[in-house]
Amino acid sequence: MKAWRRRQDTLDNMRLIFLGPPGAGKGTVAKKVSQELGLPQISTGDMLREAAKEGVPLGRKAKEYMDRGELVPDEIIIGVLKNRIIQQDCKNGFILDGYPRTLLQAKALDAFGIPVDRVLHFHLSEKTLIERITGRLTCRNCGAIYHKKNIKPKVKGKCDACGGVLYKREDQEEQAVRKRLEVYRRQTRPLIVFYQKKGMLTTIDAEGTPEESVEKVKIALRK
C-alpha cells in the first residue's frame, strides 16, 4: 500500500487497459489493483456472462460465441462497454479488463473521447496458459474461481464461500482453450503493435504468481 500512497496524486483518475491472453491473470491482478486504487474494474467477459445467466437476448447471443471459444462480435462488446464507462463510478478512472480485443474495439474506444493513460500487456507461455485455464473451477452460485492444483476448495467440488457446486465452463476445456488462444493470436495481438506505436504499452511478465504480477504493475505505474 505504501508504494501506491507515495504517488497517489499521479494515480488518481487513471484509465488503464489490462491486455493479454485468457489465463494471463489479468482479472485477478485487476481486482487487486482496483481495490488498492479505488478504480472500478470493468470486465466485459464478466458482464456478458452475467447477461447470459440472466437469459437476456444479448446474453444468450454472446453465450453462443463464448461456448465455442470464439470472440463475441465487436458490435455487442462495444455497446456493452459504452453503456458501462459513462456511469458515475468511472468518472475518476477505471481498469479495462479484457477490452479491447480487436483493433476495431480499440478505435471505438478512442472515438468515445475518453483517453487511456497506460496499457499493461501481460505475457506468458502457451503451456502455462493452458495449464491455468483447463484447471479452473467456477462456483455455479457465486462465481468464485478455484483451481484443481493452485487454489483447491476445502471440500472437493464445493465453494468455500457459499457451498455452491463447482464446475468447469465449456470454454475452459482444452480444445476450446486452444481455439481461444488461436483467436487471440490472430485478432488481439495486433493491439500490442497499435499501443506500442502510441507509446502507451508496458509488458508485464506474468509467469509467476498473481501477487508477483501485482508488484510488477505497481512498479510500472510508478514510472
Side-chain angles (χ1 to χ4, degrees):
M1 291 295 290
K2 291 181 180 179
W4 293 126
R5 292 192 184 107
R6 285 198 298 269
R7 294 291 302 278
Q8 189 65 48
D9 57 327
T10 62
L11 295 176
D12 284 341
N13 304 311
M14 288 201 78
R15 297 177 175 89
L16 307 173
I17 290 176
F18 282 15
L19 177 67
K26 303 183 302 297
T28 301
V29 176
K31 182 177 181 180
K32 182 67 174 178
V33 175
S34 169
Q35 292 171 343
E36 295 196 13
L37 291 183
L39 299 175
Q41 174 191 1
I42 301 175
S43 168
T44 50
D46 288 347
M47 292 167 64
L48 289 172
R49 281 189 286 272
E50 183 62 28
K53 183 178 179 180
E54 293 174 355
V56 298
L58 174 64
R60 291 198 300 269
K61 187 175 181 180
K63 187 176 186 298
E64 294 176 4
Y65 292 92
M66 292 188 290
D67 285 348
R68 295 195 298 265
E70 298 176 3
L71 291 179
V72 177
D74 288 329
E75 60 269 21
I76 296 177
I77 298 292
I78 291 169
V80 168
L81 180 73
K82 186 173 183 180
N83 289 333
R84 179 67 184 88
I85 62 177
I86 61 175
Q87 294 182 21
Q88 185 63 29
D89 65 332
C90 294
K91 184 178 180 181
N92 294 322
F94 50 75
I95 299 172
L96 293 182
D97 166 18
Y99 184 103
R101 292 188 177 181
T102 66
L103 284 175
L104 180 60
Q105 291 178 12
K107 292 175 181 178
L109 182 60
D110 285 347
F112 294 162
I114 301 175
V116 172
D117 298 297
R118 298 286 293 277
V119 178
L120 302 180
H121 168 226
F122 292 75
H123 176 75
L124 66 169
S125 69
E126 182 170 310
K127 180 178 182 292
T128 302
L129 290 170
I130 292 174
E131 289 177 350
R132 285 186 182 182
I133 300 174
T134 57
R136 283 180 180 173
L137 297 169
T138 305
C139 175
R140 288 189 182 278
N141 185 44
C142 71
I145 296 176
Y146 298 83
H147 194 278
K148 292 180 179 180
K149 293 182 178 180
N150 303 328
I151 312 175
K152 295 181 180 180
K154 295 177 181 178
V155 178
K156 185 176 181 179
K158 290 189 176 182
C159 176
D160 295 347
C162 70
V165 175
L166 302 182
Y167 76 108
K168 180 187 287 190
R169 297 199 324 246
E170 290 182 26
D171 65 344
Q172 292 170 344
E173 297 292 346
E174 184 169 343
Q175 184 176 356
V177 171
R178 291 187 180 279
K179 187 169 185 177
R180 289 168 67 189
L181 294 177
E182 179 184 344
V183 171
Y184 170 78
R185 286 191 293 269
R186 184 175 67 250
Q187 297 189 18
T188 308
R189 286 187 64 180
L191 290 172
I192 297 171
V193 176
F194 179 77
Y195 285 116
Q196 279 178 333
K197 290 180 177 179
K198 287 176 172 284
M200 301 167 60
L201 189 83
T202 299
T203 297
I204 302 294
D205 179 357
E207 285 284 350
T209 66
E211 291 74 20
E212 290 171 338
S213 291
V214 169
E215 290 305 312
K216 292 172 184 176
V217 168
K218 290 181 178 182
I219 294 171
L221 294 181
R222 290 200 304 270
K223 292 182 179 179

